């Protein structure tokens, strides 16, 4: 049984991905397989995280995979709509809760 399913679509040079389920052990591999299947012409990947309802610390590897993909392929990657418990994990990890791939804002 998969705890994470990633659906999506490709439109020209942009991929829109919609993860649904839990970011737990194994989710980084699921994401890596999905990203590897994208066409080489992709320049932007947007993930709508609204369907993710649980995240443990293994979910942070999911974010690492996204960051590595962005750097290796020179593409823009964004995540949006973090909410509930996964958003709280991002807060506890010191990540930007609007888009954890950006550096977290520093308190003044």
């Amino acid at each position: 049984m998969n705890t994470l399913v990633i659906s999506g679509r490709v439109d020209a040079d942009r991929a829109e991905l919609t993860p649904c389920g839990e970011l737990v052990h194994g989710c980084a591999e699921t994401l890596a397989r999905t990203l590897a299947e994208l066409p080489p012409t992709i320049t932007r990947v947007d993930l709508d995280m609204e369907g993710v309802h649980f995240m443990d610390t293994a979910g942070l590897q999911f974010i690492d995979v996204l960051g590595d993909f962005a750097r290796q392929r020179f593409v823009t990657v964004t995540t949006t709509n973090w909410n509930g418990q996964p958003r709280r994990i991002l807060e506890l990890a010191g990540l930007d809760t609007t888009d954890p791939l950006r550096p977290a804002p520093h308190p003044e």
Side-chain angles (χ1 to χ4, degrees):
M1 179 176 193
N2 289 336
T3 57
L4 180 69
V5 176
I6 303 174
S7 59
R9 69 185 188 98
V10 173
D11 184 19
D13 61 350
R14 180 176 178 223
E16 296 175 7
L17 304 178
T18 309
C20 186
E22 301 177 350
L23 297 184
V24 294
H25 180 73
C27 68
E29 291 84 8
T30 300
L31 175 63
R33 283 191 303 273
T34 300
L35 294 174
E37 293 172 0
L38 294 175
T41 56
I42 292 295
T43 61
R44 181 178 183 94
V45 178
D46 297 314
L47 287 89
D48 181 345
M49 303 302 292
E50 186 173 14
V52 174
H53 53 86
F54 179 80
M55 175 175 158
D56 66 12
T57 55
L60 297 175
Q61 293 174 341
F62 182 94
I63 295 166
D64 289 341
V65 168
L66 285 173
D68 291 345
F69 179 80
R71 285 185 294 281
Q72 291 169 358
R73 296 262 308 256
F74 302 103
V75 299
T76 301
V77 177
T78 63
T79 63
T80 58
N81 296 323
W82 291 91
N83 56 54
Q85 188 270 347
R87 182 181 176 98
R88 181 67 181 136
I89 296 296
L90 296 177
E91 289 171 354
L92 292 171
L95 298 172
D96 185 321
T97 56
T98 3
D99 187 352
L101 294 172
R102 291 189 313 206
H106 295 283
E108 297 187 25

